[in-house]
Amino acid sequence: MNRIGIIVFAGVCVLFVTSWFLKGSVGDATMTEGFLITLSAFLTLAIMSFLYKDNPYYKFAEHLFVGVSAAFWMTMGFWSTIVGNLIPRISDSLGAWFLQPKGEINYFFLLPIFFGFLLLMRLAPKGGWLSRWPLAFIIGTTAGLNFVRYLRSDFINQISATFVPLVVDWQGFGHFFGNLSLSATGPLVAMVGNFVIFGGVICGLIYFFFSKEHTGWFGTASRIGIWVLMVTFGASFGYTVMGRISLLVGRLTFLLRDWLELMT
Amino acid sequence: MRREIPLAITVFVGFLLIISVFFPPVETLGEDFSLSFDIIAVFAFFLGGGNLIRIHLKKLARRETDWMFSIVTLGGFILMLTAGLLKIGNPGDIATSVNTEGMLFESIYRSVFVPLGATMYALLAFFVASASYRAFRAKNREATILLVAAFIILMGSTPLGAMATSWMPESLSIFEIPNLAVWIMSYANLAGQRAIIIGIGLGVVSMSLRLILGVERSYLGKEG
């Protein structure tokens, strides 16, 4: 670390300690609460510092996140799945020790435990090939469950939902043309919308159909399909950006309100 | 044998789960296998944790580039894992949720995991903005449609979008930006999503069939 680096590091340490004591001594706050808020704020700033360039503070936060998140998922998996779902199904006494509600004993669940230990064989210098057995079980389960699930929800149900009435709230031509408007809640807008759904899905599927050359009417439908897909991608993009911005606003609110108390 | 047994397991389990759908007495087999999947996934988390320790210890032992940060990863990992598995600071009994206020695990989750995760994703807002500035140009009709849709969706969620078109009469209210955004999401976007979902559904079904029939074997790796 060069001299500037040491000065910056010392400055960060001084700021951290100052913030800790200030946050810990205000109102009813304890020193532990002061430390935790200061830690959150500094970690937030450490990640944001990447906008300038890659630096040791960002690397520190990034490496900490990797370690903490790996342990977080392990812990959650252990308490919710192993203790909460598995143990009451294989042992009454162990379930009682963990104060879990009594479940119906089913020795079938010894099989995933066996496969689970085989999976850990991957860490062993020899016998790593045994980890293919649990992998095969996982893949077989996923394929078997998804075959039916996707056929029902992503295929049959989606096709069924596409066949929507193209004429909405029809009370005759006179009524329709007499009340013609582009009101957001009017029947004309709903009709156009349903037509877009029906036609858009057909055209979108035609775009994905590559067994016939995209020329003539088929090519026109395919081109409309691209436009529909572009609207979808645009909408998804807009939503993604909005989601990220709301997270950013959340972090800035934390810094300005909870940490610096500049906002109420 | 090293490839045949796993292949047999996949074929057997896959067929069994499909057949179970048609036989009400064994209908719950799917739930049991789903739970088994979750149990093996927990072991996979432990495998990941073990691998993380192994990689970072190796990095430390060899004094590789940025080896100091491996101490941070290992330190964070061990602290969080110990706090979670031993439920340090538990105000209740062993059945108390690990996310209960007062536990060390919950404090680390709230003060380290959440801010780091949220800021990492928030940071993407800048990169998305920067990338879209470079990549998005209304060069052709398709790109223009994408840009216009994204613009309407973004504007539709802001007060500016509502203010800019609030003067429109009721008979033209579909052109108010928030209404237009809702219409795009409910109809045009839905049509595209549905075409993609149907494609994905067909892809998943055909891939599942390939796996169950033993045609797809790449997951078994090489012989040996």
Side-chain angles (χ1 to χ4, degrees), chain B residues 11 16 21 47 53-54 83 88 94 105 113 153 181 191 193 223:
Chain B
V11 172
L16 189 69
V21 175
L47 174 69
I53 292 174
R54 196 170 65 169
I88 296 172
I94 197 163
F105 181 84
F113 185 77
I153 296 295
Q193 293 277 9
E223 189 68 56

Side-chain angles (χ1 to χ4, degrees), chain B residues 6-219:
Chain B
L7 191 64
I9 293 172
T10 303
V11 172
F12 176 73
V13 171
F15 267 116
L16 189 69
L17 287 174
I18 291 177
I19 290 167
S20 75
V21 175
F22 301 101
F23 293 95
V26 286
E27 238 177 2
T28 55
L29 213 59
E31 288 168 27
D32 289 349
F33 274 77
S34 282
L35 182 55
S36 302
F37 181 100
D38 292 344
I39 293 164
I40 298 175
V42 175
F43 280 92
F45 288 149
F46 279 88
L47 174 69
N51 215 20
L52 184 89
I53 292 174
R54 196 170 65 169
I55 287 168
H56 283 278
L57 282 180
K58 204 182 277 180
K59 208 170 165 183
L60 271 174
R62 290 179 185 169
R63 292 281 194 273
E64 287 176 20
T65 321
D66 289 340
W67 61 270
M68 298 93 76
F69 296 110
S70 291
I71 300 172
V72 177
T73 303
L74 289 173
F77 177 76
I78 291 165
L79 181 69
M80 187 72 163
L81 194 65
T82 314
L85 294 183
L86 301 181
K87 292 193 173 176
I88 296 172
N90 186 357
D93 53 31
I94 197 163
T96 308
S97 167
V98 78
N99 276 327
T100 306
E101 202 169 323
M103 284 198 201
L104 181 60
F105 181 84
E106 194 273 339
S107 297
I108 301 174
Y109 171 76
R110 189 165 33 91
S111 311
V112 177
F113 185 77
V114 171
L116 283 176
T119 317
M120 284 266 187
Y121 284 109
L123 211 61
L124 288 180
F126 293 100
F127 296 118
V128 169
S130 156
S132 45
Y133 175 74
R134 289 175 209 194
F136 288 175
R137 295 276 191 275
K139 287 178 205 159
N140 51 40
R141 199 173 290 164
E142 285 79 20
T144 312
I145 291 172
L146 190 147
L147 272 177
V148 170
F151 180 75
I152 292 170
I153 296 295
L154 280 169
M155 286 294 284
S157 312
T158 58
L160 185 67
M163 270 164 51
T165 48
S166 59
W167 50 269
M168 286 211 177
E170 171 59 27
S171 58
L172 291 173
S173 62
I174 187 62
F175 295 115
E176 286 182 25
I177 289 180
N179 290 339
L180 206 53
V182 170
W183 189 88
I184 287 175
M185 288 308 291
S186 313
Y187 295 104
N189 169 58
L190 183 71
Q193 293 277 9
R194 199 165 273 169
I196 293 169
I197 288 172
I198 291 172
I200 291 172
L202 276 175
V204 170
V205 167
S206 62
M207 181 50 96
S208 298
L209 262 184
R210 281 173 63 85
L211 286 163
I212 293 168
L213 296 175
V215 179
E216 177 66 51
R217 298 179 182 197
S218 54
Y219 68 94

